[in-house]
Amino acid sequence: MSILITRPAPAGEELVKRLRSMGKSAFSAPLIDIHPGADLPLLSQKLQWLSAGDLVFLLSKNAVHYANERLMQEGQSWPHQLSYYGIGKSTSLMFHQLTGLEIGCSGQGETSEDLLQLPVLQKMDNKKSLLLRGNGGREVIASTLRLRGGEVDYCECYSRQPVKYDAANFSRHWLQCDIKTLVVTSGEMLQLLYNLVTDSDGKAWLLNCRLIVVSERLADIARSLGWQTIKVAKSADNDALIQALE
């Protein structure tokens, strides 16, 4: 029985390599590609809009990577007088390792909702927040911070673009490879995967696969689409996904 990893490069390929080294049959079929975001040239300017004590939210490792790379190219550094927050331990750790700066994250859980439970974020009182993120995405952080009295701006640091697959060949190929487990790490990718497989045999195969997701919210979406065997990993990093697959 084989495992199909749908997360983008390089994390998807790294996970496949680790699973194969453990003797498992695993394949990669990334559903999205990651590209530099449209707002990257404005990042320095957007950071200068903030005053001491204002907040910067890093919503993913991709946001950290592209934003940090841009600042380094411009010979700029992250302002020390700002407060930084990350979604999930792996995003926060990556930021800290690259910059040496302290960054807050939720002690429990890896979601936007978990981060928003931090006591320090309950009253924003006209503080400004800059959200470093991809194109689109959920609005829960921005809308909650505004409700709590804050002012919010965005910087699109990376762009997610769907990978184009031939729909008929996609399900046929992976069915032949005996794929019985799927790893999906975002709601966007889950919907792309569901929409990609349109024929009845392919849909039956897809929905009968065991599904590994990274939050209860994703599990709920999966159930509404028709999956029944679902496991929620503790987080979206590869260590947690391997733990869930074992």
Side-chain angles (χ1 to χ4, degrees), residues 166-203:
D166 180 275
N169 288 331
F170 185 87
S171 57
R172 192 182 306 125
H173 175 70
W174 295 120
L175 198 50
Q176 288 169 354
C177 291
D178 197 30
I179 296 293
K180 294 285 171 62
T181 298
L182 307 166
V183 175
V184 183
T185 53
S186 79
E188 179 184 16
M189 287 189 276
L190 188 63
Q191 196 67 57
L192 283 170
L193 181 61
Y194 182 82
N195 293 345
L196 180 61
V197 179
T198 53
D199 62 291
S200 56
D201 288 347
K203 208 67 134 185

Side-chain angles (χ1 to χ4, degrees), residues 19-237:
L19 289 167
R20 286 177 176 174
S21 73
M22 296 162 63
K24 296 182 184 294
S25 174
F27 301 89
S28 176
L31 292 167
I32 57 173
D33 281 332
I34 307 295
H35 303 277
D39 291 344
L40 274 178
L42 303 172
L43 176 60
S44 294
Q45 184 183 324
K46 286 176 177 284
L47 287 169
Q48 286 165 14
W49 170 72
L50 303 171
S51 307
D54 285 339
L55 300 84
V56 178
F57 289 83
L58 297 117
L59 304 194
S60 71
K61 290 170 75 173
N62 284 315
V64 174
H65 167 73
Y66 282 101
N68 190 66
E69 193 174 64
R70 180 72 190 196
L71 290 178
M72 286 177 66
Q73 286 170 358
E74 294 178 352
Q76 303 284 336
S77 57
W78 294 90
H80 284 238
Q81 73 273 23
L82 303 177
S83 298
Y84 295 93
Y85 294 90
I87 293 188
K89 292 187 180 72
S90 59
T91 298
S92 303
L93 181 62
M94 181 182 180
F95 179 81
H96 176 68
Q97 288 173 338
L98 285 172
T99 67
L101 294 171
E102 292 303 313
I103 179 167
C105 69
S106 54
Q108 302 294 320
E110 300 271 325
T111 67
S112 301
E113 288 83 356
D114 295 318
L115 183 64
L116 288 164
Q117 287 177 21
L118 288 176
V120 72
L121 300 180
Q122 299 312 301
K123 281 189 178 180
M124 298 309 294
D125 295 335
N126 298 315
K127 283 188 178 178
K128 295 175 184 173
S129 294
L130 179 63
L131 274 54
L132 308 189
R133 64 174 193 168
N135 55 318
R138 301 175 69 211
E139 295 292 331
V140 64
I141 290 183
S143 59
T144 304
L145 293 176
R146 287 185 182 118
L147 279 172
R148 293 173 181 175
E151 194 178 339
V152 178
D153 190 19
Y154 299 105
C155 185
E156 183 191 302
C157 293
Y158 66 98
S159 173
R160 300 180 298 268
Q161 303 296 334
V163 176
K164 289 181 169 56
Y165 288 103
D166 180 275
N169 288 331
F170 185 87
S171 57
R172 192 182 306 125
H173 175 70
W174 295 120
L175 198 50
Q176 288 169 354
C177 291
D178 197 30
I179 296 293
K180 294 285 171 62
T181 298
L182 307 166
V183 175
V184 183
T185 53
S186 79
E188 179 184 16
M189 287 189 276
L190 188 63
Q191 196 67 57
L192 283 170
L193 181 61
Y194 182 82
N195 293 345
L196 180 61
V197 179
T198 53
D199 62 291
S200 56
D201 288 347
K203 208 67 134 185
W205 156 74
L206 188 72
L207 296 175
N208 280 321
C209 284
R210 181 173 71 127
L211 186 64
I212 308 293
V213 295
V214 298
S215 70
E216 288 296 342
R217 184 181 67 85
L218 271 188
D220 289 341
I221 295 170
R223 286 186 200 100
S224 73
L225 291 172
W227 272 281
Q228 293 182 327
T229 309
I230 304 163
K231 184 167 185 178
V232 180
K234 287 180 180 174
S235 76
D237 66 60

